[in-house]
Amino acid sequence: MSQLATHKAIEAVWYIESARIIGALTRMLRDVGLAEELAQDALVSALETWPQTGVPDNPAAWLMTAARHRALDRLRHHKLQLARHEAFGRDRQIEQELAGIDPLAALDDPVGDDVLRLLFIACHPVLPPEGRVALTLRLLGGLSTDEIARAFLVPEPTIAQRIVRAKRTLSAAQVPFEVPQKQDLPERLGSVLAVIYLIFNEGYAATAGDDWMRPALCDEALRLGRILAALAGDESEVHGLVALMEIQASRARARTDAHGRPVLLLEQNRARWDHLLIQRGLAALERARALGGLLGPYALQAGIAACHARACTAEATDWQEICALYDALAQVSPSPVVELNRAVAVCMAFGPEAGLAAVDALLNEPALRQYHLLPAVRADFLFRLGRFEEAGAAFERAAAMTRNLPERTLLLARAQSCQSQLLSKPDTIG
Amino acid sequence: MRFMVIVRSTKESEAGVPPDEATLTAMGKYNEELVKAGVMLAGEGLQPSAKGARVRFSGKDRTVIDGPFAETKELIAGFWIMQTKSLEECIEWVKRSPNPFHTESDIEIRQIFEAEDFGDEFTPEARESEARLREQLANQGH
């Protein structure tokens, strides 16, 4: 094996094993920062040794053993220090750790509990959201600081600092390394799901020409979601989130045209949707249903996405079902943006008059005052009602509000088409 | 990236000999590992080629050939669709698979095409014309 091939093989094994190794070490050392540092040391020694000796038969066990030895050295050292200070607070625990030296057995985490605990600690509410994201990608995504920085379009030192601060905060707050108890579970799980979905959306928002690390975030979020679904399979919202991400990802190929311009959902070529991902998404939604959890915010959004995924053509979309799902979503997680989407669904299900009434109810919503889609949606409804003059004015207002150039071009073109309608049908004026 | 991981047929698989208990258990455990790692998107085992057929294309002609087919080692006994960060990661996962057969056998790893794989040489215009070509072909095929 060439030097390069060996390095790539090591990288691959590290990507697969790092979360398990860091998890096992955190369990031993009760310090996620130290655990990561020692796991990295083990990786460095693999990078030094394997090009000479060749990749071992069981590279995962090799790495785990190397990391565990480093952790045990630390514990021994710590024990000596404690002995010197005649403080034996953690003595028994250390004895147990030392007695249980069976490096291969350390690989045995058949339930994946260490990985699950690691995910919960990385997404702990004591951390600011950007710290949760960076730490999760670092500890569970096996991504380097540089890769995370490129993905989020921020300088590398910023990410490095977020990670350092997050580790320090966890250590200062003495956050225990555990799967949360029943009463804390909803909040803690909510934070984990939010972090994963944030990572997904960051990747989904990437545009053509962006660094490939940005779209790679979608894959990373999907991977984390799928891992979570396998490890915490009793939680319906986990499957709801996975369903949502699988179905959204299924449209990735159809979301832009040949020139990288965005294509709206209803105009996408459905043959280009990824039907394997759609099937997986629908299956995940079914699991959420079987667990009695179709009313969580992620499952509801996945339910809406599924309505589109099930329709063979845009015309076949079940808009009444989508309306009902938006009604439910507006109740469990009310937001003006949900209301605006609901208005669109109302228009599609019950006609532009009903849609206009729904959107007009949002005109005084402060959160939407700067949101160009509010006049854009309203303009579209007015256009459908043949009220071209008002529609044209609303399209122009929307165009002036957006900072996205292709979008502005599109909105101005639509304003122009209102003018043409007025000119071609002068009798409809007034 | 995504890979199709193809299990090549052997005499046993072509004879329809079901895998023994130990192999089944080991495979079940392995699949579970793949799922827990978020790597496995799909996977199926295939019946012997005796239960399948081939359609041979030659110009406008279509000839149906019933199984079984002779070239055992070229046939497929099963597959996984795996999503990994690299070919090396996929190789690492495949090396961890239990041996599917008692005799010597191959598992082949093939990358699935994604739109972005065509890179710079595949310009937007070329992409579009390819899409148009496909559409035309689809229309011709009734």
Side-chain angles (χ1 to χ4, degrees):
Chain A
M1 211 185 249
S2 74
Q3 191 96 340
L4 181 69
T6 309
H7 272 231
K8 284 187 157 182
I10 296 171
E11 208 178 296
V13 175
W14 175 252
Y15 183 69
I16 298 173
E17 299 301 331
S18 59
R20 265 200 277 194
I21 295 173
I22 297 169
L25 260 51
T26 309
R27 176 157 44 84
M28 290 168 70
L29 300 163
R30 310 278 143 186
D31 180 337
V32 75
L34 183 59
E36 199 222 348
E37 190 187 304
L38 297 182
Q40 287 281 349
D41 282 353
L43 171 66
V44 169
S45 77
L47 284 165
E48 286 165 358
T49 317
W50 295 2
Q52 264 96 57
T53 60
V55 178
D57 284 344
N58 192 340
W62 193 102
L63 271 179
M64 180 65 95
T65 308
R68 237 182 103 89
H69 278 313
R70 280 163 179 75
L72 290 170
D73 280 348
R74 272 310 158 101
L75 288 171
R76 275 198 204 99
H77 182 72
H78 189 67
K79 189 185 164 192
L80 281 175
Q81 279 187 327
L82 284 177
R84 262 184 234 128
H85 293 92
E86 291 178 320
F88 288 90
R90 294 177 55 187
D91 204 18
R92 186 177 302 168
Q93 190 191 333
I94 293 164
E95 282 302 338
Q96 281 172 354
E97 281 291 348
L98 291 174
I101 305 182
D102 176 3
L104 283 181
L107 268 178
D108 287 343
D109 172 26
V111 213
D113 268 358
D114 285 341
V115 174
L116 195 57
R117 290 186 191 117
L118 199 61
L119 192 52
F120 273 113
I121 210 171
C123 299
H124 199 279
V126 76
L127 302 173
E130 68 272 13
R132 297 178 206 175
V133 167
L135 199 59
T136 299
L137 287 171
R138 175 85 175 151
L139 298 180
L140 289 116
L143 297 193
S144 67
T145 320
D146 164 57
E147 286 176 313
I148 301 170
R150 274 165 48 201
F152 280 87
L153 309 171
V154 294
E156 191 182 341
T158 309
I159 295 292
Q161 201 172 34
R162 279 179 198 170
I163 292 173
V164 169
R165 265 201 217 126
K167 286 177 187 164
R168 216 178 281 152
T169 307
L170 287 175
S171 164
Q174 296 193 310
V175 171
F177 187 62
E178 63 186 17
V179 173
Q181 302 294 307
K182 258 274 175 286
Q183 69 271 17
D184 297 333
L185 193 61
E187 191 209 345
R188 298 285 307 276
L189 187 66
S191 171
V192 171
L193 298 177
V195 166
I196 294 176
Y197 196 42
L198 212 131
I199 294 171
F200 181 85
N201 276 322
E202 191 66 29
Y204 208 61
T207 54
D210 271 351
D211 191 312
W212 62 270
M213 266 318 294
R214 274 172 68 68
L217 286 178
C218 284
D219 290 343
E220 201 52 56
L222 264 167
R223 173 172 164 266
L224 290 172
R226 289 168 184 155
I227 291 173
L228 187 60
L231 298 182
D234 295 343
E235 299 299 325
S236 64
E237 270 291 85
V238 172
H239 299 292
L241 173 64
V242 170
L244 178 60
M245 292 194 296
E246 302 265 17
I247 297 176
Q248 282 185 328
S250 78
R251 300 181 197 137
R253 285 186 295 210
R255 282 172 72 224
T256 48
D257 68 7
H259 303 283
R261 289 176 303 217
V263 181
L264 297 175
L265 176 62
L266 294 181
E267 281 147 28
Q268 289 173 9
N269 176 355
R270 292 177 186 227
R272 304 204 72 210
W273 287 358
D274 186 322
H275 293 272
L276 174 60
L277 293 189
I278 289 178
Q279 270 178 33
R280 292 181 54 87
L282 296 178
L285 194 56
E286 195 44 53
R287 273 194 288 282
R289 183 198 306 274
L291 291 164
L294 280 188
L295 290 175
Y298 292 109
L300 283 169
Q301 291 176 78
I304 293 163
C307 284
H308 293 295
R310 283 193 201 100
C312 298
T313 60
E315 294 71 36
T317 311
D318 185 348
W319 289 105
Q320 300 205 359
E321 171 77 10
I322 292 176
C323 269
L325 290 165
Y326 269 121
D327 284 344
L329 188 60
Q331 284 184 15
V332 296
S333 74
S335 105
V337 175
V338 168
E339 290 294 344
L340 186 59
N341 279 312
R342 189 181 151 271
V344 174
V346 167
C347 169
M348 299 303 283
F350 306 107
E353 199 109 25
L356 191 63
V359 86
D360 280 349
L362 298 171
L363 285 178
N364 294 321
E365 179 60 59
L368 296 178
R369 203 158 286 159
Q370 299 301 320
Y371 195 46
H372 67 281
L373 285 180
L374 179 64
V377 164
R378 193 162 176 277
D380 182 64
F381 295 173
L382 289 165
F383 186 89
R384 285 164 193 262
L385 288 166
R387 290 160 64 175
F388 300 119
E389 197 164 357
E390 293 162 84
F395 275 128
E396 271 168 22
R397 194 167 334 121
M401 283 163 81
T402 180
R403 274 183 290 173
N404 181 314
L405 188 63
E407 216 160 20
R408 181 178 304 153
T409 313
L410 186 80
L411 289 166
L412 287 175
R414 292 209 67 185
Q416 194 62 45
S417 76
C418 295
Q419 285 298 320
S420 327
Q421 291 284 347
L422 284 169
L423 291 173
S424 66
K425 292 181 193 167
D427 52 326
T428 59
I429 300 178
Chain B
M1 36 183 92
R2 287 196 236 184
F3 296 90
M4 181 172 230
V5 175
I6 301 161
V7 180
R8 290 281 178 203
S9 300
T10 62
K11 270 188 191 151
E12 322 167 46
S13 74
E14 273 298 277
V17 180
D20 59 42
E21 191 80 27
T23 308
L24 274 179
T25 312
M27 271 297 170
K29 228 180 125 193
Y30 175 63
N31 283 333
E32 210 177 301
E33 279 296 308
L34 290 176
V35 169
K36 269 192 209 158
V39 162
M40 179 169 156
L41 296 191
E44 305 290 347
L46 304 183
Q47 304 243 14
S49 72
K51 293 191 177 175
R54 266 181 192 163
V55 180
R56 175 161 295 159
F57 285 65
S58 171
K60 281 201 257 167
D61 295 332
R62 313 278 183 270
T63 320
V64 177
I65 306 156
D66 289 327
F69 308 116
E71 55 288 358
T72 306
K73 281 184 170 175
E74 303 301 317
L75 300 174
I76 293 169
F79 69 89
W80 285 277
I81 304 287
M82 294 191 194
Q83 180 159 19
T84 59
K85 206 182 173 192
S86 62
L87 171 64
E88 289 77 17
E89 191 200 340
C90 188
I91 293 174
E92 181 58 32
W93 278 112
V94 172
K95 279 162 74 182
R96 296 176 185 198
S97 167
N99 196 338
F101 303 113
H102 295 108
T103 54
E104 208 166 69
S105 67
D106 286 319
I107 295 186
E108 185 175 317
I109 302 171
R110 302 280 298 273
Q111 191 177 348
I112 296 174
F113 269 124
E114 317 273 352
E116 56 269 25
D117 289 333
F118 297 108
D120 296 339
E121 283 160 49
F122 205 60
T123 62
E125 290 71 25
R127 273 174 213 240
E128 198 174 45
S129 64
E130 196 221 35
R132 226 179 289 136
L133 191 68
R134 271 196 209 164
E135 225 163 88
Q136 279 171 8
L137 289 173
N139 291 339
Q140 276 167 14
H142 305 285

